[in-house]
Amino acid sequence: MSEIIETQIKTEYIKLDSLLKFSGLCDTGGFAKELIQQGEVKVNGEICTMRGKKIRSGDEVEAGRYKVRVK
């Protein structure tokens, strides 16, 4: 079962690697980059390997047992 984290952004979008840091799933940008490149991150249910992917309000990002809902 996933632990759900709700994160609010105040801009039009946030890049995937920045979201992982902002929401507390990764301590560093380097770790976020590694997770993404290894195919460990899903965006809206699909594996995403683009760390610069634009994440907008309404998107869901999964990493391990965590799911981040962006508002």
Side-chain angles (χ1 to χ4, degrees):
M1 179 158 227
S2 296
E3 184 174 329
I4 298 172
I5 300 168
E6 293 194 351
T7 300
Q8 186 169 0
I9 60 172
K10 298 186 187 302
T11 56
E12 180 184 348
Y13 65 86
I14 185 171
K15 291 183 181 178
L16 180 56
D17 58 349
S18 297
L19 176 69
L20 293 176
K21 285 187 343 186
F22 181 69
S23 62
L25 295 185
C26 294
D27 293 333
T28 66
F31 184 55
K33 179 182 172 182
E34 257 184 63
L35 275 181
I36 295 165
Q37 287 180 337
Q38 292 174 2
E40 301 291 327
V41 179
K42 292 182 180 180
V43 176
N44 297 323
E46 295 185 18
I47 292 173
C48 181
T49 56
M50 301 181 330
R51 66 183 183 151
K53 170 97 172 138
K54 294 177 181 177
I55 306 299
R56 302 175 194 284
S57 181
D59 287 340
E60 287 189 349
V61 175
E62 294 177 62
R65 63 184 181 94
Y66 297 97
K67 183 182 284 188
V68 179
R69 288 190 182 142
V70 181
K71 294 184 165 202

